[in-house]
Amino acid sequence: QVHLVESGGGSVQAGGSLRLSCEVSGFTARRNCMGWVRQRSGQKREALASIYSTDDFTWYADSMKGRSYISRDTTDNLFYLQIRNLTPDDTAMYYCAALSRTGFEACTTPGIFTHWGQGIQVTVSP
């Protein structure tokens, strides 16, 4: 059974940074992508970044470009999202997610992912 568990959330002051971690277990697909999605209060889920297993290609949403970095550690089955220059607008529940790719799926929308973590809250204060 696939499990994804987020850590590293919490409260941060505006202008600060954080690193979210996701521990993955039971996920054996060799062709995959891992991603981060967030949901702000009252809004739809929003894909933030993804990384592909085939060549470590990365994708970032416009809101994350230039201030975030997604990475993975295949040895420890972990992947990360670092975000800097946080603002109160980044306050949200953050989820890690995974997809076993069978073709050339673009991991750029929340609906593409098939496995999800429980989510972790990030609160950015002014």
Side-chain angles (χ1 to χ4, degrees):
Q1 198 165 7
V2 179
H3 289 286
L4 290 83
V5 180
E6 302 93 345
S7 62
S11 297
V12 185
Q13 283 197 314
S17 61
L18 57 72
R19 186 177 80 161
L20 300 174
S21 301
C22 182
E23 183 173 7
V24 184
S25 60
F27 188 70
T28 58
R30 294 185 65 184
R31 291 187 72 247
N32 62 69
C33 63
M34 305 293 191
W36 289 93
V37 174
R38 73 181 176 190
Q39 187 166 23
R40 291 179 277 198
S41 180
Q43 299 190 30
K44 296 188 298 183
R45 289 189 178 185
E46 169 193 9
L48 302 177
S50 56
I51 184 166
Y52 295 69
S53 63
T54 46
D55 53 5
D56 278 345
F57 176 79
T58 56
W59 168 85
Y60 296 92
D62 287 346
S63 61
M64 290 290 113
K65 285 179 182 175
R67 67 185 186 104
S68 70
Y69 178 67
I70 187 170
S71 60
R72 63 196 291 159
D73 180 343
T74 55
T75 303
D76 293 328
N77 293 322
L78 291 162
F79 69 105
Y80 309 95
L81 181 68
Q82 298 180 59
I83 312 173
R84 60 181 186 273
N85 296 332
L86 288 156
T87 73
D89 217 33
D90 292 310
T91 295
M93 187 72 80
Y94 285 72
Y95 300 87
C96 60
L99 168 70
S100 172
R101 300 178 75 212
T102 58
F104 298 96
E105 298 94 332
C107 300
T108 58
T109 57
I112 198 71
F113 296 104
T114 54
H115 302 288
W116 292 81
Q118 292 294 310
I120 193 164
Q121 179 69 34
V122 172
T123 302
V124 184
S125 56

